[in-house]
Structure formats: structure tokens, C-alpha cells
Amino acid sequence: MADRKAFHIVARHTARALSVVLLAAGIGTAMSPGSQAWARGCATLDIVIARGTVEPGYLGAAIGDPLYAVLSAQLPVDTSAHRVEYPADLLVATSISDGTRAMAGHLIDRAAACPDQRFVLVGYSQGAVVTHGVLGSAAIPGGWSLPHELSSRIVAVLLFGDPLRLVGGTVPPLYTDRTANYCAAGDPVCAGGVFPAAHGSYEWAFAAAAGQVSARL
């Protein structure tokens, strides 16, 4: 089991990156909620999704809902989806810490219940920061992290609009070759751009993300 750590952002660059995430709270999307999906039974592949700041939708209207529709249709294995239950609100001081606890806890529980199940981790905006924390990124030195012995169960990591990308934050080397980090041109959160609408426009990346996952199955 992962040990709970006190969540403190101590790195100067991380503090700057998380301040950028605050911008995402005001960006949002006007999309309507997509189709709902729940993790049931022991599907071959469980898609675990941490939505963005105040993002509507069940898995997330901008990323999670439409991305899961593409993955479930294109991947050659049966899938389930899980919504990481956390505030996704930077007015809640513990939001990111809560997210790492919820994501890591789900992975640990499902790995025990379904010994052959593998996982895809998806993080959008603030959810990407949560995912970094679960993987043990040096840029997020607190929260809950995934036990090392479960690392082989992670098929792929898909990050969208990642605030840590703006300051050079990366996933640990163990996960580099299975991580795709998508950043739209002009996205102020991950690219320092000046087009807020770009932060909610990632449909162009979904087919590539499905290919990234499929290639690792």
C-alpha cells in the first residue's frame, strides 16, 4: 500500500506551474456531458481518468468522455473506465492531494481484485498534475504514489494540457516510453499561449492517443 505523505509544493518551478493551473479554472468548456462509463468486472484494460479543473461531464466533457468513446471503439480489447473522484477545484487546497489519493487507491484496489487487469492513466490540466503525482514525478513531491510493483501494469499514460510541461516537468524515466503528452498550439496552460479556447480543443489528439495505447498492448 502507498503511504500517505503530507502534500507540500516546495519546488519553485512546481509552484509556478500550479499557479498556471489556476488559469484553467476560468477556462472550462461549454460542451455538454458525454456518455457515462463505469468500471465493472475485470475488463482487460481500465482507463483511469482525472478530469481538469471544474471540467463538466462524467469522465470530463473536454477529454475523458470523448476520448473514452474513441478508445473503447478502436482498441482490440475490452475496456472499462473510471472517473477519479476528487474536487478538481483549486479553491480546495487539498484538491491535487485528494486526486492522487483517489487515483492511486483505485489502481491498488483494482490491481488486487483483477490480477490480470492493466491500466491507462489519463490526466487533463489539473488532472495531469494529479497523474504526475501518482507516478512519482519529482515535480510533485507529495501526495500518494503508485507502488513500484504495480508499474508494469500501466500500459500507457496520456496527458493533455499539462501545466508541468510549461516548466519542463516530466514523468519519471520508468514511464517515459509509455507517456504521450499532448499540448495544443496556443494553449496558455501547457504552452504559454494566448488562446484560452485551445485548452479545451484536443479532439485532434484522440486518434493518436488510441494508437499509442494499442501499440503497447
Side-chain angles (χ1 to χ4, degrees):
M1 294 292 291
D3 295 327
R4 185 172 186 178
K5 307 172 185 175
F7 187 78
H8 297 292
I9 302 303
V10 297
R12 180 179 305 168
H13 289 317
T14 302
R16 180 189 166 204
L18 294 182
S19 70
V20 172
V21 183
L22 286 169
L23 179 61
I27 292 175
T29 68
M31 301 178 185
S32 59
S35 59
Q36 296 188 354
W38 295 267
R40 291 176 176 170
C42 290
T44 301
L45 197 64
D46 190 28
I47 316 297
V48 183
I49 301 172
R51 67 198 188 282
T53 304
V54 298
E55 184 185 7
Y58 180 69
L59 299 172
I63 300 297
D65 290 327
L67 174 63
Y68 182 65
V70 171
L71 293 177
S72 60
Q74 295 190 13
L75 295 180
V77 297
D78 59 311
T79 64
S80 57
H82 176 75
R83 164 190 165 113
V84 175
E85 292 291 352
Y86 82 113
D89 185 346
L90 287 174
L91 296 179
V92 177
T94 61
S95 181
I96 292 172
S97 179
D98 291 345
T100 63
R101 182 182 67 249
M103 179 181 272
H106 172 77
L107 293 168
I108 292 167
D109 289 347
R110 297 302 295 171
C114 303
D116 296 323
Q117 189 171 63
R118 295 194 290 168
F119 305 94
V120 173
L121 307 188
V122 178
Y124 167 51
S125 194
Q126 185 181 167
V129 179
V130 167
T131 307
H132 273 281
V134 169
L135 297 178
S137 295
I140 305 297
W144 293 61
S145 58
L146 187 68
H148 181 78
E149 60 268 22
L150 296 185
S151 62
S152 63
R153 307 271 294 266
I154 306 302
V155 171
V157 179
L158 306 175
L159 303 177
F160 300 84
D162 176 10
L164 296 183
R165 177 176 172 139
L166 187 62
V167 293
T170 60
V171 299
L174 178 63
Y175 297 99
T176 300
D177 66 345
R178 40 188 145 155
T179 297
N181 194 318
Y182 301 101
C183 182
D187 187 332
V189 175
C190 60
V194 295
F195 300 108
H199 191 57
S201 300
Y202 279 90
E203 297 87 350
W204 55 270
F206 295 162
Q212 168 82 3
V213 176
S214 183
R216 296 198 56 85
L217 291 175

